[in-house]
Amino acid sequence: MKLTWYGHSAFRVETKDATILIDPYLVGNPSWTGGWEGPAEGVTHVLLTHGHNDHVSGAVEVLKKSGAMLVANFEICMYLVGQGVGGDKINPGNIGGTVDCGPFTTTFVQALHSSSFGGQGGTNTYLGNPGGLVLHFPEDKTLYHMGDTDIFSDMGLINELHEPKIGIVPIGDRFTMGGAVAALACRRFFDFDTVIPCHFRTFPMLDQTADKFVAGLEGSGVKVALPEVGKAITI
């Protein structure tokens, strides 16, 4: 499995039979100025954890060009169909549900956050409940993208049910849990082999480093793979 970080929570996940973009914030992202066209090349699936602009902006462009399958909650799917995404390309779900994505499955799990798309004049379009996404692959380790969330005790159930070995974890504080709490979540509730921090450094109001997260996982046996924007990590 190969993962490429485009800053914030945007990742490209490449496996034997699928090329996936998760939360492709590729338009207006201060951390990524390379455009959306390159990350969209060869994409087969676009997955969205929730509807905030800093997770969705770029999804419409990618979906229209690539013809990829959109996997998201029902409200997000229908909102993006209204923006020109093909209605025959959506694969909606909701918390607790699992959808077949062909080369893998996606299970929607809880996240403690909010979900809307901000428009002009301070308007916000409701886009369902936020979530995390658990991706099961037949020949790769199970991946859990937490979305935007705080720690919650039912993370223990997610681990019991899905046994994810790779975690993509928000650590930037203010809008999600901070690094120390995120490290506690990983230690207390999961048995990860590798974790990748995200949702930090993008904006000045977020934590600018992963230092607290790294320090919190020292001695845990969990590998922290610190991502660099635009550079692939092989797991």
Side-chain angles (χ1 to χ4, degrees):
M1 181 184 297
K2 185 165 70 173
L3 286 82
T4 304
W5 186 45
Y6 297 107
H8 213 49
S9 297
F11 285 85
R12 178 177 165 117
V13 181
E14 298 175 66
T15 67
K16 177 183 175 183
D17 297 312
T19 300
I20 306 157
L21 281 176
I22 305 178
D23 287 356
Y25 181 28
L26 301 170
V27 174
N29 181 351
S31 297
W32 172 256
T33 57
W36 58 267
E37 294 86 351
E41 191 68 33
V43 165
T44 57
H45 300 76
V46 173
L47 277 56
L48 301 174
T49 62
H50 64 290
H52 284 156
N53 301 50
D54 58 344
H55 294 253
V56 172
S57 296
V60 170
E61 290 85 346
V62 171
L63 288 160
K64 285 182 176 180
K65 179 175 176 58
S66 67
M69 176 188 291
L70 169 61
V71 182
N73 71 34
F74 180 79
E75 291 86 351
I76 292 173
C77 284
M78 298 315 297
Y79 178 76
L80 294 187
V81 167
Q83 305 302 308
V85 172
D88 61 337
K89 297 293 187 179
I90 64 173
N91 193 0
N94 214 325
I95 306 301
T98 297
V99 296
D100 185 353
C101 301
F104 63 98
T105 63
T106 300
T107 300
F108 296 81
V109 298
Q110 182 182 4
L112 299 181
H113 197 58
S114 55
S115 179
S116 62
F117 193 85
Q120 294 182 348
T123 61
N124 282 278
T125 300
Y126 165 76
L127 289 179
N129 291 321
L133 301 171
V134 181
L135 282 60
H136 287 275
F137 303 94
E139 298 181 14
D140 274 300
K141 294 180 178 181
T142 297
L143 169 70
Y144 173 30
H145 191 306
M146 294 186 180
D148 285 5
T149 190
D150 189 16
I151 192 173
F152 54 94
S153 60
D154 280 354
M155 286 178 166
L157 283 176
I158 294 171
N159 184 64
E160 181 179 345
L161 290 167
H162 299 286
E163 300 181 335
K165 293 302 178 183
I166 303 169
I168 296 177
V169 186
I171 66 161
D173 215 337
R174 185 177 289 264
F175 300 110
T176 70
M177 55 189 169
V181 174
L184 174 63
C186 293
R187 295 182 73 129
R188 177 169 295 186
F189 296 121
F190 295 100
D191 188 25
F192 288 127
D193 293 335
T194 305
V195 290
I196 303 104
C198 69
H199 209 279
F200 70 102
R201 194 186 299 150
T202 320
F203 307 108
M205 64 179 63
L206 300 181
D207 283 356
Q208 297 298 295
T209 73
D211 293 351
K212 295 176 185 177
F213 184 63
V214 172
L217 285 171
E218 286 182 358
S220 68
V222 179
K223 178 183 177 181
V224 180
L226 285 176
E228 296 182 52
V229 173
K231 295 187 178 180
I233 300 170
T234 300
I235 298 177

